Amino acid sequence: MRITGGSARGRKLTSPRASEIRPTSDRVREALFNIIGPRIVGSRVLDLFAGTGAIGIEGLSRGAASVLFVDQSPAVGRLIEANLRACIIRPSAAFVALNLATNPHPQPLQAAAAVAGRFDLVIMDPPYQKNMARPVLAMVERADILAENSLIVVEEHRGAALPESVASLALTDHRRYGETGLWFYAPTQPHVTHE
């Protein structure tokens, strides 16, 4: 598993041998960032179910301003930190240990966004076919952490039945790559800053 583009292109990522982590394939990751295109440059990224950190590290390699990695355990955080050190010089990145399967609560993300700023890009890769995408999409929407013109991407099994909308988030695109599907959501209502 390697970074597919940007300053760290070709750098190898470590993945645990015996684990429930299912890293996004290089092919799907490259396709995703080709779709996202130049909007990654300077963006603040939220990588949910971060696993090895491949998605967020790919974003940093391609010019993202910062990444917040979220996954369920400090051990995953240490793996992401090792992969960051191997790929990115002085990354602007942080890790939050949060089990989104048992605690899809917006408060930790709200606290992180208060420090890092609102997120331009949210990418989530929940375990396939566990029906976790909808509640986590709803949590992201409720958390009020999205920047104007933000994009939310869900990676799931291609046969998953994801909704056309979740509250103010609307499905704008859907792509398939082998057994993997990518669903793209965007807010239908612009963010209003309250002073």
Side-chain angles (χ1 to χ4, degrees):
M1 185 173 59
R2 296 180 184 275
I3 298 299
T4 65
S7 62
R9 183 176 182 170
R11 296 279 177 91
K12 192 172 181 182
L13 296 167
T14 300
S15 182
R17 286 190 176 86
S19 171
E20 293 183 5
I21 293 176
R22 174 197 39 77
T24 301
S25 73
D26 293 358
R27 174 177 172 247
V28 172
R29 216 171 342 105
E30 186 167 25
L32 169 61
F33 281 95
N34 286 341
I35 294 165
I36 293 169
R39 75 182 296 158
I40 190 64
V41 177
S43 65
R44 291 180 300 274
V45 180
L46 176 60
D47 185 355
L48 299 176
F49 304 95
T52 62
I55 291 283
I57 294 170
E58 184 86 40
L60 289 167
S61 176
R62 292 171 181 257
S66 63
V67 177
L68 177 64
F69 297 92
V70 178
D71 212 304
Q72 64 183 350
S73 75
V76 172
R78 289 190 292 274
L79 173 64
I80 291 170
E81 186 179 337
N83 280 330
L84 275 167
R85 281 197 310 268
C87 296
I88 307 294
I89 298 170
R90 293 188 297 279
S92 178
F95 175 79
V96 172
L98 177 63
N99 188 333
L100 293 165
T102 60
N103 183 25
H105 195 279
Q107 189 173 11
L109 299 183
Q110 290 167 333
V115 175
R118 292 175 175 272
F119 296 103
D120 305 293
L121 179 63
V122 178
I123 303 176
M124 64 177 75
D125 182 12
Y128 279 7
Q129 299 178 306
K130 300 288 186 186
N131 299 316
M132 293 174 65
R134 183 189 297 259
V136 176
L137 276 167
M139 181 266 294
V140 166
E141 196 272 345
R142 281 194 323 272
D144 191 29
I145 57 173
L146 300 174
E148 192 174 351
N149 301 317
S150 58
L151 180 68
I152 301 95
V153 184
V154 181
E155 178 185 337
E156 246 284 14
H157 187 271
R158 64 173 293 158
L162 268 63
E164 292 287 323
S165 63
V166 175
S168 68
L169 303 178
L171 183 67
T172 61
D173 197 2
H174 178 208
R175 310 282 181 102
R176 292 185 179 93
Y177 303 91
E179 293 301 304
T180 298
L182 296 176
W183 285 258
F184 297 80
Y185 290 86
T188 56
Q189 301 164 4
H191 167 70
V192 177
T193 302
H194 300 284
E195 304 210 6

Short mmCIF file of all heavy atoms in Angstrom, two decimals, residues 40-88:
data_model
loop_
_atom_site.label_atom_id
_atom_site.label_comp_id
_atom_site.label_asym_id
_atom_site.label_seq_id
_atom_site.Cartn_x
_atom_site.Cartn_y
_atom_site.Cartn_z
N ILE A 40 -8.58 19.75 -2.94
CA ILE A 40 -7.84 19.23 -1.79
C ILE A 40 -6.80 20.25 -1.31
O ILE A 40 -6.47 20.30 -0.13
CB ILE A 40 -7.18 17.86 -2.10
CG1 ILE A 40 -6.62 17.22 -0.83
CG2 ILE A 40 -6.08 18.00 -3.13
CD1 ILE A 40 -7.64 16.85 0.20
N VAL A 41 -6.28 21.07 -2.23
CA VAL A 41 -5.20 21.99 -1.88
C VAL A 41 -5.70 23.04 -0.89
O VAL A 41 -6.68 23.73 -1.14
CB VAL A 41 -4.63 22.67 -3.15
CG1 VAL A 41 -3.55 23.68 -2.77
CG2 VAL A 41 -4.06 21.62 -4.09
N GLY A 42 -5.03 23.12 0.25
CA GLY A 42 -5.39 24.09 1.28
C GLY A 42 -6.60 23.73 2.12
O GLY A 42 -7.02 24.52 2.97
N SER A 43 -7.14 22.53 1.93
CA SER A 43 -8.37 22.15 2.63
C SER A 43 -8.08 21.58 4.02
O SER A 43 -7.00 21.08 4.29
CB SER A 43 -9.15 21.11 1.81
OG SER A 43 -8.41 19.91 1.71
N ARG A 44 -9.08 21.69 4.89
CA ARG A 44 -9.04 21.05 6.20
C ARG A 44 -9.86 19.77 6.10
O ARG A 44 -11.04 19.79 5.74
CB ARG A 44 -9.62 21.99 7.27
CG ARG A 44 -8.75 23.20 7.53
CD ARG A 44 -9.33 24.12 8.59
NE ARG A 44 -10.64 24.63 8.21
CZ ARG A 44 -10.85 25.71 7.47
NH1 ARG A 44 -9.82 26.39 7.00
NH2 ARG A 44 -12.07 26.10 7.18
N VAL A 45 -9.21 18.64 6.41
CA VAL A 45 -9.78 17.32 6.16
C VAL A 45 -10.08 16.61 7.47
O VAL A 45 -9.28 16.64 8.40
CB VAL A 45 -8.81 16.45 5.31
CG1 VAL A 45 -9.39 15.06 5.05
CG2 VAL A 45 -8.47 17.15 3.99
N LEU A 46 -11.24 15.96 7.52
CA LEU A 46 -11.62 15.09 8.63
C LEU A 46 -11.66 13.67 8.09
O LEU A 46 -12.44 13.36 7.19
CB LEU A 46 -12.99 15.50 9.18
CG LEU A 46 -13.58 14.64 10.29
CD1 LEU A 46 -12.67 14.61 11.51
CD2 LEU A 46 -14.97 15.15 10.67
N ASP A 47 -10.80 12.81 8.63
CA ASP A 47 -10.69 11.41 8.18
C ASP A 47 -11.29 10.53 9.28
O ASP A 47 -10.66 10.26 10.30
CB ASP A 47 -9.20 11.08 7.94
CG ASP A 47 -8.98 9.69 7.37
OD1 ASP A 47 -9.94 8.92 7.22
OD2 ASP A 47 -7.80 9.38 7.07
N LEU A 48 -12.54 10.09 9.05
CA LEU A 48 -13.26 9.26 10.02
C LEU A 48 -13.05 7.78 9.71
O LEU A 48 -13.04 7.39 8.54
CB LEU A 48 -14.75 9.59 10.00
CG LEU A 48 -15.12 11.03 10.36
CD1 LEU A 48 -16.62 11.24 10.20
CD2 LEU A 48 -14.68 11.37 11.77
N PHE A 49 -12.93 6.95 10.75
CA PHE A 49 -12.56 5.54 10.60
C PHE A 49 -11.22 5.49 9.87
O PHE A 49 -11.06 4.82 8.86
CB PHE A 49 -13.62 4.76 9.82
CG PHE A 49 -15.01 4.83 10.40
CD1 PHE A 49 -15.92 5.76 9.94
CD2 PHE A 49 -15.41 3.96 11.41
CE1 PHE A 49 -17.20 5.83 10.46
CE2 PHE A 49 -16.69 4.02 11.94
CZ PHE A 49 -17.60 4.97 11.46
N ALA A 50 -10.25 6.21 10.40
CA ALA A 50 -9.02 6.50 9.67
C ALA A 50 -8.13 5.29 9.42
O ALA A 50 -7.35 5.28 8.46
CB ALA A 50 -8.22 7.57 10.42
N GLY A 51 -8.19 4.26 10.26
CA GLY A 51 -7.41 3.04 10.02
C GLY A 51 -5.92 3.31 9.95
O GLY A 51 -5.32 3.80 10.91
N THR A 52 -5.30 3.05 8.83
CA THR A 52 -3.86 3.28 8.66
C THR A 52 -3.53 4.75 8.45
O THR A 52 -2.36 5.12 8.46
CB THR A 52 -3.33 2.49 7.45
OG1 THR A 52 -3.98 2.97 6.27
CG2 THR A 52 -3.56 0.99 7.60
N GLY A 53 -4.56 5.56 8.22
CA GLY A 53 -4.33 6.97 7.92
C GLY A 53 -4.10 7.25 6.45
O GLY A 53 -3.79 8.38 6.06
N ALA A 54 -4.26 6.23 5.61
CA ALA A 54 -3.92 6.36 4.18
C ALA A 54 -4.65 7.51 3.49
O ALA A 54 -4.04 8.27 2.73
CB ALA A 54 -4.22 5.05 3.45
N ILE A 55 -5.95 7.67 3.77
CA ILE A 55 -6.72 8.73 3.10
C ILE A 55 -6.20 10.10 3.51
O ILE A 55 -5.92 10.96 2.67
CB ILE A 55 -8.22 8.60 3.43
CG1 ILE A 55 -8.81 7.34 2.79
CG2 ILE A 55 -8.98 9.84 3.00
CD1 ILE A 55 -9.09 7.43 1.33
N GLY A 56 -6.09 10.34 4.82
CA GLY A 56 -5.64 11.64 5.28
C GLY A 56 -4.21 11.95 4.87
O GLY A 56 -3.88 13.08 4.50
N ILE A 57 -3.34 10.94 4.91
CA ILE A 57 -1.94 11.15 4.50
C ILE A 57 -1.88 11.44 3.01
O ILE A 57 -1.11 12.30 2.57
CB ILE A 57 -1.08 9.93 4.89
CG1 ILE A 57 -1.01 9.83 6.42
CG2 ILE A 57 0.32 10.05 4.30
CD1 ILE A 57 -0.40 8.54 6.94
N GLU A 58 -2.69 10.76 2.23
CA GLU A 58 -2.78 11.05 0.80
C GLU A 58 -3.21 12.50 0.60
O GLU A 58 -2.67 13.22 -0.25
CB GLU A 58 -3.78 10.11 0.13
CG GLU A 58 -3.87 10.27 -1.37
CD GLU A 58 -2.86 9.45 -2.16
OE1 GLU A 58 -2.60 8.29 -1.79
OE2 GLU A 58 -2.35 9.99 -3.16
N GLY A 59 -4.18 12.95 1.40
CA GLY A 59 -4.62 14.34 1.31
C GLY A 59 -3.49 15.32 1.61
O GLY A 59 -3.29 16.31 0.89
N LEU A 60 -2.73 15.06 2.68
CA LEU A 60 -1.59 15.92 3.01
C LEU A 60 -0.55 15.91 1.90
O LEU A 60 0.01 16.95 1.55
CB LEU A 60 -0.96 15.47 4.33
CG LEU A 60 -1.77 15.73 5.60
CD1 LEU A 60 -1.18 14.97 6.78
CD2 LEU A 60 -1.84 17.23 5.90
N SER A 61 -0.29 14.74 1.34
CA SER A 61 0.66 14.62 0.25
C SER A 61 0.26 15.48 -0.95
O SER A 61 1.09 16.05 -1.65
CB SER A 61 0.80 13.15 -0.18
OG SER A 61 1.65 13.02 -1.30
N ARG A 62 -1.06 15.59 -1.14
CA ARG A 62 -1.58 16.32 -2.30
C ARG A 62 -1.93 17.78 -1.98
O ARG A 62 -2.54 18.46 -2.80
CB ARG A 62 -2.80 15.60 -2.86
CG ARG A 62 -2.47 14.25 -3.50
CD ARG A 62 -3.73 13.48 -3.84
NE ARG A 62 -3.47 12.19 -4.44
CZ ARG A 62 -3.60 11.91 -5.74
NH1 ARG A 62 -3.96 12.86 -6.58
NH2 ARG A 62 -3.36 10.70 -6.20
N GLY A 63 -1.56 18.25 -0.79
CA GLY A 63 -1.67 19.68 -0.53
C GLY A 63 -2.71 20.11 0.48
O GLY A 63 -2.95 21.32 0.64
N ALA A 64 -3.35 19.18 1.19
CA ALA A 64 -4.30 19.56 2.24
C ALA A 64 -3.57 20.37 3.31
O ALA A 64 -2.40 20.12 3.62
CB ALA A 64 -4.95 18.33 2.86
N ALA A 65 -4.27 21.34 3.90
CA ALA A 65 -3.66 22.17 4.94
C ALA A 65 -3.51 21.42 6.25
O ALA A 65 -2.51 21.58 6.95
CB ALA A 65 -4.50 23.42 5.16
N SER A 66 -4.52 20.59 6.59
CA SER A 66 -4.47 19.86 7.85
C SER A 66 -5.43 18.67 7.78
O SER A 66 -6.35 18.65 6.97
CB SER A 66 -4.87 20.77 9.02
OG SER A 66 -6.21 21.21 8.86
N VAL A 67 -5.18 17.71 8.66
CA VAL A 67 -6.05 16.52 8.75
C VAL A 67 -6.27 16.19 10.22
O VAL A 67 -5.33 16.17 11.02
CB VAL A 67 -5.43 15.29 8.04
CG1 VAL A 67 -6.34 14.07 8.22
CG2 VAL A 67 -5.21 15.56 6.56
N LEU A 68 -7.53 15.92 10.55
CA LEU A 68 -7.87 15.34 11.84
C LEU A 68 -8.25 13.89 11.59
O LEU A 68 -9.21 13.61 10.87
CB LEU A 68 -9.03 16.07 12.51
CG LEU A 68 -9.49 15.46 13.84
CD1 LEU A 68 -8.40 15.54 14.90
CD2 LEU A 68 -10.77 16.13 14.33
N PHE A 69 -7.48 12.98 12.17
CA PHE A 69 -7.74 11.55 12.05
C PHE A 69 -8.59 11.10 13.24
O PHE A 69 -8.27 11.44 14.38
CB PHE A 69 -6.43 10.76 12.06
CG PHE A 69 -5.51 11.06 10.91
CD1 PHE A 69 -4.53 12.04 11.03
CD2 PHE A 69 -5.60 10.35 9.72
CE1 PHE A 69 -3.66 12.31 9.98
CE2 PHE A 69 -4.73 10.62 8.67
CZ PHE A 69 -3.77 11.60 8.80
N VAL A 70 -9.62 10.31 12.98
CA VAL A 70 -10.47 9.79 14.04
C VAL A 70 -10.61 8.29 13.88
O VAL A 70 -10.98 7.80 12.79
CB VAL A 70 -11.87 10.45 14.02
CG1 VAL A 70 -12.77 9.85 15.10
CG2 VAL A 70 -11.76 11.96 14.19
N ASP A 71 -10.30 7.55 14.93
CA ASP A 71 -10.53 6.10 14.94
C ASP A 71 -10.67 5.68 16.39
O ASP A 71 -10.55 6.48 17.30
CB ASP A 71 -9.42 5.34 14.21
CG ASP A 71 -9.96 4.07 13.55
OD1 ASP A 71 -10.55 3.23 14.27
OD2 ASP A 71 -9.80 3.90 12.34
N GLN A 72 -10.90 4.38 16.59
CA GLN A 72 -11.40 3.94 17.89
C GLN A 72 -10.36 3.74 18.98
O GLN A 72 -10.72 3.68 20.15
CB GLN A 72 -12.21 2.66 17.73
CG GLN A 72 -11.41 1.47 17.23
CD GLN A 72 -12.27 0.25 17.03
OE1 GLN A 72 -13.42 0.24 17.43
NE2 GLN A 72 -11.71 -0.77 16.41
N SER A 73 -9.08 3.64 18.66
CA SER A 73 -8.15 3.30 19.73
C SER A 73 -6.83 4.05 19.61
O SER A 73 -6.40 4.40 18.52
CB SER A 73 -7.86 1.79 19.71
OG SER A 73 -7.00 1.47 18.64
N PRO A 74 -6.16 4.27 20.75
CA PRO A 74 -4.83 4.87 20.73
C PRO A 74 -3.83 4.06 19.91
O PRO A 74 -2.90 4.63 19.33
CB PRO A 74 -4.44 4.91 22.20
CG PRO A 74 -5.74 4.95 22.94
CD PRO A 74 -6.67 4.09 22.13
N ALA A 75 -4.01 2.73 19.84
CA ALA A 75 -3.10 1.90 19.04
C ALA A 75 -3.17 2.30 17.57
O ALA A 75 -2.15 2.36 16.87
CB ALA A 75 -3.43 0.42 19.21
N VAL A 76 -4.38 2.57 17.08
CA VAL A 76 -4.54 3.04 15.71
C VAL A 76 -3.86 4.40 15.55
O VAL A 76 -3.22 4.67 14.54
CB VAL A 76 -6.04 3.11 15.32
CG1 VAL A 76 -6.22 3.78 13.97
CG2 VAL A 76 -6.64 1.72 15.29
N GLY A 77 -3.99 5.25 16.56
CA GLY A 77 -3.32 6.55 16.52
C GLY A 77 -1.82 6.41 16.38
O GLY A 77 -1.19 7.17 15.64
N ARG A 78 -1.24 5.44 17.07
CA ARG A 78 0.21 5.23 16.97
C ARG A 78 0.60 4.74 15.57
O ARG A 78 1.65 5.14 15.05
CB ARG A 78 0.67 4.22 18.04
CG ARG A 78 0.62 4.82 19.46
CD ARG A 78 1.28 3.93 20.47
NE ARG A 78 0.56 2.67 20.69
CZ ARG A 78 -0.44 2.52 21.54
NH1 ARG A 78 -0.87 3.55 22.27
NH2 ARG A 78 -1.02 1.35 21.69
N LEU A 79 -0.24 3.89 14.96
CA LEU A 79 0.02 3.43 13.59
C LEU A 79 -0.02 4.61 12.62
O LEU A 79 0.86 4.76 11.76
CB LEU A 79 -1.01 2.37 13.19
CG LEU A 79 -0.99 1.92 11.73
CD1 LEU A 79 0.33 1.21 11.40
CD2 LEU A 79 -2.17 1.00 11.43
N ILE A 80 -1.03 5.47 12.76
CA ILE A 80 -1.14 6.65 11.90
C ILE A 80 0.07 7.56 12.09
O ILE A 80 0.64 8.06 11.11
CB ILE A 80 -2.46 7.40 12.19
CG1 ILE A 80 -3.65 6.56 11.72
CG2 ILE A 80 -2.46 8.77 11.51
CD1 ILE A 80 -5.00 7.08 12.16
N GLU A 81 0.47 7.75 13.33
CA GLU A 81 1.64 8.60 13.60
C GLU A 81 2.89 8.05 12.92
O GLU A 81 3.68 8.81 12.34
CB GLU A 81 1.86 8.70 15.11
CG GLU A 81 2.95 9.67 15.49
CD GLU A 81 3.13 9.78 17.00
OE1 GLU A 81 2.19 9.48 17.75
OE2 GLU A 81 4.24 10.17 17.41
N ALA A 82 3.07 6.73 12.97
CA ALA A 82 4.23 6.11 12.30
C ALA A 82 4.16 6.32 10.79
O ALA A 82 5.18 6.63 10.15
CB ALA A 82 4.29 4.63 12.63
N ASN A 83 2.97 6.16 10.22
CA ASN A 83 2.82 6.36 8.77
C ASN A 83 3.03 7.82 8.39
O ASN A 83 3.62 8.12 7.34
CB ASN A 83 1.45 5.86 8.30
CG ASN A 83 1.42 4.35 8.12
OD1 ASN A 83 2.44 3.73 7.79
ND2 ASN A 83 0.27 3.75 8.32
N LEU A 84 2.56 8.74 9.24
CA LEU A 84 2.81 10.16 8.98
C LEU A 84 4.30 10.46 8.96
O LEU A 84 4.80 11.16 8.06
CB LEU A 84 2.13 11.01 10.06
CG LEU A 84 0.67 11.37 9.86
CD1 LEU A 84 0.09 11.94 11.15
CD2 LEU A 84 0.50 12.37 8.73
N ARG A 85 5.02 9.95 9.96
CA ARG A 85 6.47 10.19 10.03
C ARG A 85 7.19 9.66 8.80
O ARG A 85 8.16 10.25 8.33
CB ARG A 85 7.06 9.54 11.29
CG ARG A 85 6.82 10.33 12.56
CD ARG A 85 7.77 9.88 13.67
NE ARG A 85 7.77 8.44 13.84
CZ ARG A 85 6.99 7.77 14.69
NH1 ARG A 85 6.13 8.44 15.45
NH2 ARG A 85 7.06 6.47 14.80
N ALA A 86 6.70 8.55 8.26
CA ALA A 86 7.34 7.94 7.09
C ALA A 86 7.06 8.69 5.79
O ALA A 86 7.79 8.52 4.81
CB ALA A 86 6.88 6.48 6.95
N CYS A 87 6.01 9.52 5.79
CA CYS A 87 5.56 10.10 4.53
C CYS A 87 5.60 11.62 4.44
O CYS A 87 5.84 12.17 3.37
CB CYS A 87 4.12 9.65 4.24
SG CYS A 87 3.93 7.87 4.00
N ILE A 88 5.32 12.30 5.54
CA ILE A 88 5.09 13.74 5.49
C ILE A 88 6.05 14.47 6.43
O ILE A 88 6.16 14.11 7.60
CB ILE A 88 3.63 14.09 5.88
CG1 ILE A 88 2.62 13.30 5.05
CG2 ILE A 88 3.39 15.60 5.76
CD1 ILE A 88 2.58 13.62 3.58
#
